[in-house]
Amino acid sequence: MAKILNYPHPSLRQKAQAVTKFDQNLIKLVEELNASLIPNPHEPVGVGLAANQIGILKRVFLMTLPDKSIQAIINPEIIKAYPKTLSQLPEDQQFMEGCLSFLGYYGFVDRPIKIKVRYQTISGQVKEQILVKPFSSYFQHERDHLDGILFIDYLKQSRGKIYKADKKTGKLKAV
């Protein structure tokens, strides 16, 4: 299990390189990401983890899917982002993002609720699919990591608030 890097570690701001070899090293990387994503009982459950969050600059991330399985996503692309965003939904359907590199901090990121994506599997097979919220947000969040973009960057742009979870109650408080 690799240590998940915390902000402001430099790897979190670096752009990851495309995967060109679908070999045993890639399998080992995915296994290491998976072991790191498995929840520690003292930390929040993660729904995704990008390779640069463990210091490896490859375009690979893991993401939880609707069936609760975890999928390795290699060389991800967003082919189309549909126009409707989270802020256009009723408030009870909106949610805040968190990040395993910013444990305990959350903020609202106004992302498209539906995207069409293309990626490769661990064997190199190309897949395309349409994702809707919250899975579309998971994909966008992890893909951003691979470009050195963090969810706090969106909060700065929109002058959004960042919230910290109280360790005892779990309630969020603006910081």
Side-chain angles (χ1 to χ4, degrees):
M1 178 168 92
K3 180 182 184 322
I4 296 174
L5 304 174
N6 292 314
Y7 179 80
H9 194 282
S11 288
L12 297 173
R13 290 295 188 182
Q14 294 178 326
K15 189 168 183 167
Q17 301 301 310
V19 171
T20 56
K21 292 182 181 177
F22 294 80
D23 59 9
Q24 194 60 37
N25 290 330
L26 179 61
I27 292 169
K28 285 180 185 175
L29 170 57
V30 169
E31 288 171 351
E32 193 168 4
L33 283 167
N34 192 46
S36 301
L37 185 59
I38 292 172
N40 173 329
H42 305 291
E43 296 176 356
V45 175
V47 294
L49 185 65
N52 57 343
Q53 287 181 274
I54 62 167
I56 298 171
L57 298 175
K58 293 287 183 185
R59 295 192 75 75
V60 177
F61 66 77
L62 297 186
M63 181 184 120
T64 302
L65 298 175
D67 67 2
K68 306 244 190 286
S69 68
I70 296 174
Q71 172 73 44
I73 307 290
I74 319 292
N75 298 325
E77 301 173 65
I78 297 173
I79 299 168
K80 180 177 182 176
Y82 293 82
K84 191 170 186 177
T85 65
L86 284 171
S87 66
Q88 295 169 309
L89 296 176
E91 197 168 306
D92 65 340
Q93 293 180 29
Q94 298 176 16
F95 56 89
M96 286 195 265
E97 287 186 23
C99 181
L100 294 173
S101 293
F102 290 86
L103 273 183
Y105 290 91
Y106 301 88
F108 177 75
V109 179
D110 191 24
R111 296 186 187 274
I113 61 170
K114 182 178 175 183
I115 57 175
K116 184 174 184 181
V117 301
R118 179 182 301 131
Y119 60 92
Q120 290 174 277
T121 65
I122 198 162
S123 64
Q125 179 185 11
V126 176
K127 293 218 172 200
E128 286 187 9
Q129 72 185 100
I130 291 178
L131 298 171
V132 295
K133 76 147 186 101
F135 307 98
S136 56
S137 289
Y138 302 168
F139 189 99
Q140 292 169 84
H141 178 107
E142 299 307 330
R143 185 181 169 281
D144 280 348
H145 270 299
L146 302 179
D147 289 327
I149 300 167
L150 305 172
F151 86 108
I152 59 167
D153 299 335
Y154 295 102
L155 300 176
K156 288 177 185 175
Q157 289 172 0
S158 68
R159 296 192 176 152
K161 293 180 181 176
I162 191 158
Y163 298 85
K164 182 159 179 59
D166 181 277
K167 288 186 181 188
K168 290 182 182 176
T169 65
K171 291 187 179 184
L172 298 179
K173 181 179 179 182
V175 291

PDB file of all heavy atoms in Angstrom, residues 56-87:
ATOM      1  N   ILE A  56       3.075   8.684  -8.629  1.00  0.00           N
ATOM      2  CA  ILE A  56       3.412   8.059  -9.911  1.00  0.00           C
ATOM      3  C   ILE A  56       2.721   8.835 -11.022  1.00  0.00           C
ATOM      4  O   ILE A  56       1.491   8.928 -11.048  1.00  0.00           O
ATOM      5  CB  ILE A  56       3.005   6.568  -9.914  1.00  0.00           C
ATOM      6  CG1 ILE A  56       3.794   5.851  -8.813  1.00  0.00           C
ATOM      7  CG2 ILE A  56       3.255   5.946 -11.283  1.00  0.00           C
ATOM      8  CD1 ILE A  56       3.369   4.449  -8.546  1.00  0.00           C
ATOM      9  N   LEU A  57       3.506   9.389 -11.925  1.00  0.00           N
ATOM     10  CA  LEU A  57       2.970  10.284 -12.952  1.00  0.00           C
ATOM     11  C   LEU A  57       2.576   9.539 -14.227  1.00  0.00           C
ATOM     12  O   LEU A  57       3.134   9.733 -15.301  1.00  0.00           O
ATOM     13  CB  LEU A  57       3.975  11.402 -13.248  1.00  0.00           C
ATOM     14  CG  LEU A  57       4.272  12.297 -12.043  1.00  0.00           C
ATOM     15  CD1 LEU A  57       5.360  13.306 -12.371  1.00  0.00           C
ATOM     16  CD2 LEU A  57       3.013  12.995 -11.571  1.00  0.00           C
ATOM     17  N   LYS A  58       1.591   8.669 -14.093  1.00  0.00           N
ATOM     18  CA  LYS A  58       1.009   7.923 -15.208  1.00  0.00           C
ATOM     19  C   LYS A  58      -0.483   8.230 -15.260  1.00  0.00           C
ATOM     20  O   LYS A  58      -1.116   8.437 -14.235  1.00  0.00           O
ATOM     21  CB  LYS A  58       1.199   6.411 -15.022  1.00  0.00           C
ATOM     22  CG  LYS A  58       2.641   5.961 -15.113  1.00  0.00           C
ATOM     23  CD  LYS A  58       3.104   6.027 -16.536  1.00  0.00           C
ATOM     24  CE  LYS A  58       4.515   5.519 -16.686  1.00  0.00           C
ATOM     25  NZ  LYS A  58       4.997   5.692 -18.052  1.00  0.00           N
ATOM     26  N   ARG A  59      -1.056   8.236 -16.463  1.00  0.00           N
ATOM     27  CA  ARG A  59      -2.468   8.572 -16.643  1.00  0.00           C
ATOM     28  C   ARG A  59      -3.344   7.356 -16.305  1.00  0.00           C
ATOM     29  O   ARG A  59      -3.898   6.694 -17.184  1.00  0.00           O
ATOM     30  CB  ARG A  59      -2.721   9.100 -18.050  1.00  0.00           C
ATOM     31  CG  ARG A  59      -1.978  10.431 -18.270  1.00  0.00           C
ATOM     32  CD  ARG A  59      -2.384  11.156 -19.509  1.00  0.00           C
ATOM     33  NE  ARG A  59      -3.670  11.808 -19.402  1.00  0.00           N
ATOM     34  CZ  ARG A  59      -3.925  12.923 -18.736  1.00  0.00           C
ATOM     35  NH1 ARG A  59      -2.966  13.526 -18.062  1.00  0.00           N
ATOM     36  NH2 ARG A  59      -5.136  13.446 -18.726  1.00  0.00           N
ATOM     37  N   VAL A  60      -3.434   7.116 -15.007  1.00  0.00           N
ATOM     38  CA  VAL A  60      -4.186   5.981 -14.470  1.00  0.00           C
ATOM     39  C   VAL A  60      -4.926   6.459 -13.234  1.00  0.00           C
ATOM     40  O   VAL A  60      -4.361   7.171 -12.404  1.00  0.00           O
ATOM     41  CB  VAL A  60      -3.233   4.828 -14.052  1.00  0.00           C
ATOM     42  CG1 VAL A  60      -4.017   3.679 -13.428  1.00  0.00           C
ATOM     43  CG2 VAL A  60      -2.397   4.360 -15.217  1.00  0.00           C
ATOM     44  N   PHE A  61      -6.199   6.061 -13.120  1.00  0.00           N
ATOM     45  CA  PHE A  61      -6.904   6.248 -11.856  1.00  0.00           C
ATOM     46  C   PHE A  61      -7.883   5.107 -11.637  1.00  0.00           C
ATOM     47  O   PHE A  61      -8.228   4.384 -12.564  1.00  0.00           O
ATOM     48  CB  PHE A  61      -7.572   7.623 -11.737  1.00  0.00           C
ATOM     49  CG  PHE A  61      -8.698   7.919 -12.682  1.00  0.00           C
ATOM     50  CD1 PHE A  61      -9.972   7.398 -12.487  1.00  0.00           C
ATOM     51  CD2 PHE A  61      -8.510   8.786 -13.750  1.00  0.00           C
ATOM     52  CE1 PHE A  61     -11.027   7.717 -13.342  1.00  0.00           C
ATOM     53  CE2 PHE A  61      -9.551   9.122 -14.604  1.00  0.00           C
ATOM     54  CZ  PHE A  61     -10.809   8.583 -14.393  1.00  0.00           C
ATOM     55  N   LEU A  62      -8.273   4.959 -10.402  1.00  0.00           N
ATOM     56  CA  LEU A  62      -9.331   4.025 -10.041  1.00  0.00           C
ATOM     57  C   LEU A  62     -10.570   4.830  -9.716  1.00  0.00           C
ATOM     58  O   LEU A  62     -10.470   5.944  -9.207  1.00  0.00           O
ATOM     59  CB  LEU A  62      -8.949   3.195  -8.815  1.00  0.00           C
ATOM     60  CG  LEU A  62      -7.754   2.280  -8.926  1.00  0.00           C
ATOM     61  CD1 LEU A  62      -7.632   1.434  -7.665  1.00  0.00           C
ATOM     62  CD2 LEU A  62      -7.820   1.387 -10.146  1.00  0.00           C
ATOM     63  N   MET A  63     -11.726   4.239  -9.991  1.00  0.00           N
ATOM     64  CA  MET A  63     -12.982   4.937  -9.760  1.00  0.00           C
ATOM     65  C   MET A  63     -14.057   3.929  -9.406  1.00  0.00           C
ATOM     66  O   MET A  63     -14.135   2.853 -10.004  1.00  0.00           O
ATOM     67  CB  MET A  63     -13.358   5.678 -11.051  1.00  0.00           C
ATOM     68  CG  MET A  63     -14.614   6.464 -10.975  1.00  0.00           C
ATOM     69  SD  MET A  63     -14.969   7.188 -12.599  1.00  0.00           S
ATOM     70  CE  MET A  63     -16.544   6.420 -12.876  1.00  0.00           C
ATOM     71  N   THR A  64     -14.902   4.280  -8.443  1.00  0.00           N
ATOM     72  CA  THR A  64     -16.043   3.453  -8.075  1.00  0.00           C
ATOM     73  C   THR A  64     -17.135   3.614  -9.136  1.00  0.00           C
ATOM     74  O   THR A  64     -17.426   4.730  -9.571  1.00  0.00           O
ATOM     75  CB  THR A  64     -16.572   3.866  -6.690  1.00  0.00           C
ATOM     76  OG1 THR A  64     -15.512   3.728  -5.750  1.00  0.00           O
ATOM     77  CG2 THR A  64     -17.747   3.014  -6.271  1.00  0.00           C
ATOM     78  N   LEU A  65     -17.712   2.505  -9.534  1.00  0.00           N
ATOM     79  CA  LEU A  65     -18.775   2.481 -10.546  1.00  0.00           C
ATOM     80  C   LEU A  65     -20.136   2.293  -9.884  1.00  0.00           C
ATOM     81  O   LEU A  65     -20.220   1.981  -8.693  1.00  0.00           O
ATOM     82  CB  LEU A  65     -18.507   1.349 -11.537  1.00  0.00           C
ATOM     83  CG  LEU A  65     -17.213   1.469 -12.339  1.00  0.00           C
ATOM     84  CD1 LEU A  65     -17.017   0.229 -13.193  1.00  0.00           C
ATOM     85  CD2 LEU A  65     -17.216   2.717 -13.199  1.00  0.00           C
ATOM     86  N   PRO A  66     -21.236   2.464 -10.661  1.00  0.00           N
ATOM     87  CA  PRO A  66     -22.580   2.328 -10.086  1.00  0.00           C
ATOM     88  C   PRO A  66     -22.818   0.995  -9.363  1.00  0.00           C
ATOM     89  O   PRO A  66     -23.554   0.943  -8.391  1.00  0.00           O
ATOM     90  CB  PRO A  66     -23.506   2.481 -11.290  1.00  0.00           C
ATOM     91  CG  PRO A  66     -22.737   3.311 -12.251  1.00  0.00           C
ATOM     92  CD  PRO A  66     -21.296   2.917 -12.058  1.00  0.00           C
ATOM     93  N   ASP A  67     -22.182  -0.087  -9.812  1.00  0.00           N
ATOM     94  CA  ASP A  67     -22.381  -1.389  -9.155  1.00  0.00           C
ATOM     95  C   ASP A  67     -21.471  -1.567  -7.932  1.00  0.00           C
ATOM     96  O   ASP A  67     -21.354  -2.660  -7.396  1.00  0.00           O
ATOM     97  CB  ASP A  67     -22.190  -2.531 -10.154  1.00  0.00           C
ATOM     98  CG  ASP A  67     -20.751  -2.648 -10.653  1.00  0.00           C
ATOM     99  OD1 ASP A  67     -19.861  -1.870 -10.218  1.00  0.00           O
ATOM    100  OD2 ASP A  67     -20.503  -3.534 -11.493  1.00  0.00           O
ATOM    101  N   LYS A  68     -20.800  -0.484  -7.526  1.00  0.00           N
ATOM    102  CA  LYS A  68     -19.898  -0.444  -6.365  1.00  0.00           C
ATOM    103  C   LYS A  68     -18.557  -1.132  -6.617  1.00  0.00           C
ATOM    104  O   LYS A  68     -17.734  -1.268  -5.727  1.00  0.00           O
ATOM    105  CB  LYS A  68     -20.558  -1.004  -5.105  1.00  0.00           C
ATOM    106  CG  LYS A  68     -21.880  -0.360  -4.755  1.00  0.00           C
ATOM    107  CD  LYS A  68     -21.815   0.375  -3.454  1.00  0.00           C
ATOM    108  CE  LYS A  68     -23.167   0.834  -2.965  1.00  0.00           C
ATOM    109  NZ  LYS A  68     -23.780   1.912  -3.594  1.00  0.00           N
ATOM    110  N   SER A  69     -18.329  -1.608  -7.843  1.00  0.00           N
ATOM    111  CA  SER A  69     -17.021  -2.167  -8.176  1.00  0.00           C
ATOM    112  C   SER A  69     -16.045  -1.017  -8.432  1.00  0.00           C
ATOM    113  O   SER A  69     -16.452   0.127  -8.618  1.00  0.00           O
ATOM    114  CB  SER A  69     -17.125  -3.062  -9.418  1.00  0.00           C
ATOM    115  OG  SER A  69     -17.420  -2.279 -10.566  1.00  0.00           O
ATOM    116  N   ILE A  70     -14.778  -1.338  -8.430  1.00  0.00           N
ATOM    117  CA  ILE A  70     -13.750  -0.333  -8.686  1.00  0.00           C
ATOM    118  C   ILE A  70     -13.116  -0.652 -10.026  1.00  0.00           C
ATOM    119  O   ILE A  70     -12.681  -1.783 -10.268  1.00  0.00           O
ATOM    120  CB  ILE A  70     -12.706  -0.320  -7.555  1.00  0.00           C
ATOM    121  CG1 ILE A  70     -13.375   0.106  -6.252  1.00  0.00           C
ATOM    122  CG2 ILE A  70     -11.554   0.618  -7.898  1.00  0.00           C
ATOM    123  CD1 ILE A  70     -12.490   0.031  -5.033  1.00  0.00           C
ATOM    124  N   GLN A  71     -13.076   0.340 -10.913  1.00  0.00           N
ATOM    125  CA  GLN A  71     -12.568   0.173 -12.271  1.00  0.00           C
ATOM    126  C   GLN A  71     -11.251   0.932 -12.436  1.00  0.00           C
ATOM    127  O   GLN A  71     -11.136   2.071 -11.997  1.00  0.00           O
ATOM    128  CB  GLN A  71     -13.592   0.719 -13.268  1.00  0.00           C
ATOM    129  CG  GLN A  71     -13.125   0.796 -14.701  1.00  0.00           C
ATOM    130  CD  GLN A  71     -13.045  -0.571 -15.361  1.00  0.00           C
ATOM    131  OE1 GLN A  71     -13.929  -1.383 -15.221  1.00  0.00           O
ATOM    132  NE2 GLN A  71     -11.962  -0.807 -16.070  1.00  0.00           N
ATOM    133  N   ALA A  72     -10.276   0.293 -13.076  1.00  0.00           N
ATOM    134  CA  ALA A  72      -9.053   0.987 -13.471  1.00  0.00           C
ATOM    135  C   ALA A  72      -9.338   1.732 -14.769  1.00  0.00           C
ATOM    136  O   ALA A  72      -9.835   1.148 -15.737  1.00  0.00           O
ATOM    137  CB  ALA A  72      -7.918  -0.006 -13.666  1.00  0.00           C
ATOM    138  N   ILE A  73      -9.045   3.014 -14.781  1.00  0.00           N
ATOM    139  CA  ILE A  73      -9.255   3.870 -15.951  1.00  0.00           C
ATOM    140  C   ILE A  73      -7.876   4.319 -16.431  1.00  0.00           C
ATOM    141  O   ILE A  73      -7.138   4.968 -15.691  1.00  0.00           O
ATOM    142  CB  ILE A  73     -10.111   5.109 -15.582  1.00  0.00           C
ATOM    143  CG1 ILE A  73     -11.423   4.702 -14.896  1.00  0.00           C
ATOM    144  CG2 ILE A  73     -10.327   6.009 -16.779  1.00  0.00           C
ATOM    145  CD1 ILE A  73     -12.442   4.032 -15.762  1.00  0.00           C
ATOM    146  N   ILE A  74      -7.542   3.974 -17.675  1.00  0.00           N
ATOM    147  CA  ILE A  74      -6.222   4.264 -18.223  1.00  0.00           C
ATOM    148  C   ILE A  74      -6.391   5.254 -19.383  1.00  0.00           C
ATOM    149  O   ILE A  74      -7.270   5.096 -20.222  1.00  0.00           O
ATOM    150  CB  ILE A  74      -5.544   2.982 -18.766  1.00  0.00           C
ATOM    151  CG1 ILE A  74      -5.762   1.771 -17.866  1.00  0.00           C
ATOM    152  CG2 ILE A  74      -4.078   3.241 -19.096  1.00  0.00           C
ATOM    153  CD1 ILE A  74      -5.116   1.782 -16.544  1.00  0.00           C
ATOM    154  N   ASN A  75      -5.547   6.277 -19.427  1.00  0.00           N
ATOM    155  CA  ASN A  75      -5.559   7.296 -20.496  1.00  0.00           C
ATOM    156  C   ASN A  75      -6.963   7.868 -20.725  1.00  0.00           C
ATOM    157  O   ASN A  75      -7.491   7.844 -21.843  1.00  0.00           O
ATOM    158  CB  ASN A  75      -4.989   6.719 -21.796  1.00  0.00           C
ATOM    159  CG  ASN A  75      -3.540   6.288 -21.646  1.00  0.00           C
ATOM    160  OD1 ASN A  75      -2.761   6.916 -20.923  1.00  0.00           O
ATOM    161  ND2 ASN A  75      -3.162   5.214 -22.308  1.00  0.00           N
ATOM    162  N   PRO A  76      -7.584   8.403 -19.683  1.00  0.00           N
ATOM    163  CA  PRO A  76      -8.972   8.877 -19.795  1.00  0.00           C
ATOM    164  C   PRO A  76      -9.122  10.145 -20.633  1.00  0.00           C
ATOM    165  O   PRO A  76      -8.251  11.012 -20.623  1.00  0.00           O
ATOM    166  CB  PRO A  76      -9.348   9.163 -18.345  1.00  0.00           C
ATOM    167  CG  PRO A  76      -8.047   9.546 -17.713  1.00  0.00           C
ATOM    168  CD  PRO A  76      -7.028   8.652 -18.360  1.00  0.00           C
ATOM    169  N   GLU A  77     -10.241  10.206 -21.341  1.00  0.00           N
ATOM    170  CA  GLU A  77     -10.604  11.401 -22.111  1.00  0.00           C
ATOM    171  C   GLU A  77     -12.084  11.693 -21.878  1.00  0.00           C
ATOM    172  O   GLU A  77     -12.877  10.766 -21.725  1.00  0.00           O
ATOM    173  CB  GLU A  77     -10.440  11.165 -23.615  1.00  0.00           C
ATOM    174  CG  GLU A  77      -9.069  10.788 -24.082  1.00  0.00           C
ATOM    175  CD  GLU A  77      -9.125  10.422 -25.564  1.00  0.00           C
ATOM    176  OE1 GLU A  77      -9.428  11.311 -26.392  1.00  0.00           O
ATOM    177  OE2 GLU A  77      -8.897   9.234 -25.868  1.00  0.00           O
ATOM    178  N   ILE A  78     -12.425  12.960 -21.928  1.00  0.00           N
ATOM    179  CA  ILE A  78     -13.833  13.351 -21.945  1.00  0.00           C
ATOM    180  C   ILE A  78     -14.132  13.748 -23.376  1.00  0.00           C
ATOM    181  O   ILE A  78     -13.571  14.710 -23.892  1.00  0.00           O
ATOM    182  CB  ILE A  78     -14.117  14.510 -20.959  1.00  0.00           C
ATOM    183  CG1 ILE A  78     -13.817  14.046 -19.531  1.00  0.00           C
ATOM    184  CG2 ILE A  78     -15.566  14.985 -21.102  1.00  0.00           C
ATOM    185  CD1 ILE A  78     -13.889  15.133 -18.487  1.00  0.00           C
ATOM    186  N   ILE A  79     -14.989  12.978 -24.024  1.00  0.00           N
ATOM    187  CA  ILE A  79     -15.325  13.220 -25.424  1.00  0.00           C
ATOM    188  C   ILE A  79     -16.364  14.327 -25.539  1.00  0.00           C
ATOM    189  O   ILE A  79     -16.316  15.159 -26.427  1.00  0.00           O
ATOM    190  CB  ILE A  79     -15.876  11.937 -26.075  1.00  0.00           C
ATOM    191  CG1 ILE A  79     -14.825  10.829 -26.026  1.00  0.00           C
ATOM    192  CG2 ILE A  79     -16.306  12.191 -27.504  1.00  0.00           C
ATOM    193  CD1 ILE A  79     -15.393   9.468 -26.370  1.00  0.00           C
ATOM    194  N   LYS A  80     -17.316  14.316 -24.613  1.00  0.00           N
ATOM    195  CA  LYS A  80     -18.377  15.311 -24.641  1.00  0.00           C
ATOM    196  C   LYS A  80     -18.851  15.580 -23.222  1.00  0.00           C
ATOM    197  O   LYS A  80     -19.055  14.652 -22.449  1.00  0.00           O
ATOM    198  CB  LYS A  80     -19.562  14.818 -25.480  1.00  0.00           C
ATOM    199  CG  LYS A  80     -20.699  15.818 -25.548  1.00  0.00           C
ATOM    200  CD  LYS A  80     -21.831  15.356 -26.433  1.00  0.00           C
ATOM    201  CE  LYS A  80     -22.906  16.435 -26.491  1.00  0.00           C
ATOM    202  NZ  LYS A  80     -23.982  16.107 -27.385  1.00  0.00           N
ATOM    203  N   ALA A  81     -18.998  16.857 -22.910  1.00  0.00           N
ATOM    204  CA  ALA A  81     -19.608  17.271 -21.647  1.00  0.00           C
ATOM    205  C   ALA A  81     -20.947  17.898 -22.008  1.00  0.00           C
ATOM    206  O   ALA A  81     -21.015  18.860 -22.773  1.00  0.00           O
ATOM    207  CB  ALA A  81     -18.721  18.270 -20.923  1.00  0.00           C
ATOM    208  N   TYR A  82     -22.008  17.336 -21.486  1.00  0.00           N
ATOM    209  CA  TYR A  82     -23.346  17.855 -21.762  1.00  0.00           C
ATOM    210  C   TYR A  82     -23.538  19.144 -20.961  1.00  0.00           C
ATOM    211  O   TYR A  82     -22.900  19.346 -19.924  1.00  0.00           O
ATOM    212  CB  TYR A  82     -24.392  16.793 -21.430  1.00  0.00           C
ATOM    213  CG  TYR A  82     -24.300  15.606 -22.367  1.00  0.00           C
ATOM    214  CD1 TYR A  82     -23.363  14.592 -22.155  1.00  0.00           C
ATOM    215  CD2 TYR A  82     -25.121  15.514 -23.485  1.00  0.00           C
ATOM    216  CE1 TYR A  82     -23.259  13.513 -23.027  1.00  0.00           C
ATOM    217  CE2 TYR A  82     -25.026  14.431 -24.358  1.00  0.00           C
ATOM    218  CZ  TYR A  82     -24.083  13.439 -24.122  1.00  0.00           C
ATOM    219  OH  TYR A  82     -23.987  12.380 -24.985  1.00  0.00           O
ATOM    220  N   PRO A  83     -24.429  20.048 -21.423  1.00  0.00           N
ATOM    221  CA  PRO A  83     -24.488  21.395 -20.828  1.00  0.00           C
ATOM    222  C   PRO A  83     -25.032  21.496 -19.399  1.00  0.00           C
ATOM    223  O   PRO A  83     -24.640  22.401 -18.674  1.00  0.00           O
ATOM    224  CB  PRO A  83     -25.361  22.186 -21.796  1.00  0.00           C
ATOM    225  CG  PRO A  83     -26.088  21.187 -22.620  1.00  0.00           C
ATOM    226  CD  PRO A  83     -25.274  19.926 -22.606  1.00  0.00           C
ATOM    227  N   LYS A  84     -25.898  20.604 -18.975  1.00  0.00           N
ATOM    228  CA  LYS A  84     -26.502  20.750 -17.641  1.00  0.00           C
ATOM    229  C   LYS A  84     -25.460  20.454 -16.558  1.00  0.00           C
ATOM    230  O   LYS A  84     -24.757  19.447 -16.615  1.00  0.00           O
ATOM    231  CB  LYS A  84     -27.699  19.820 -17.492  1.00  0.00           C
ATOM    232  CG  LYS A  84     -28.524  20.101 -16.258  1.00  0.00           C
ATOM    233  CD  LYS A  84     -29.827  19.313 -16.281  1.00  0.00           C
ATOM    234  CE  LYS A  84     -30.715  19.706 -15.133  1.00  0.00           C
ATOM    235  NZ  LYS A  84     -31.993  19.003 -15.176  1.00  0.00           N
ATOM    236  N   THR A  85     -25.394  21.345 -15.560  1.00  0.00           N
ATOM    237  CA  THR A  85     -24.423  21.187 -14.487  1.00  0.00           C
ATOM    238  C   THR A  85     -25.119  21.006 -13.139  1.00  0.00           C
ATOM    239  O   THR A  85     -26.328  21.221 -13.021  1.00  0.00           O
ATOM    240  CB  THR A  85     -23.473  22.403 -14.410  1.00  0.00           C
ATOM    241  OG1 THR A  85     -24.227  23.550 -14.045  1.00  0.00           O
ATOM    242  CG2 THR A  85     -22.739  22.628 -15.724  1.00  0.00           C
ATOM    243  N   LEU A  86     -24.327  20.643 -12.142  1.00  0.00           N
ATOM    244  CA  LEU A  86     -24.865  20.394 -10.805  1.00  0.00           C
ATOM    245  C   LEU A  86     -25.631  21.583 -10.246  1.00  0.00           C
ATOM    246  O   LEU A  86     -26.638  21.404  -9.565  1.00  0.00           O
ATOM    247  CB  LEU A  86     -23.732  20.029  -9.846  1.00  0.00           C
ATOM    248  CG  LEU A  86     -23.169  18.621  -9.979  1.00  0.00           C
ATOM    249  CD1 LEU A  86     -21.912  18.477  -9.130  1.00  0.00           C
ATOM    250  CD2 LEU A  86     -24.198  17.589  -9.575  1.00  0.00           C
ATOM    251  N   SER A  87     -25.167  22.804 -10.512  1.00  0.00           N
ATOM    252  CA  SER A  87     -25.847  23.982  -9.948  1.00  0.00           C
ATOM    253  C   SER A  87     -27.243  24.174 -10.518  1.00  0.00           C
ATOM    254  O   SER A  87     -28.039  24.908  -9.946  1.00  0.00           O
ATOM    255  CB  SER A  87     -25.011  25.248 -10.163  1.00  0.00           C
ATOM    256  OG  SER A  87     -24.930  25.552 -11.537  1.00  0.00           O
TER     257      SER A  87
END
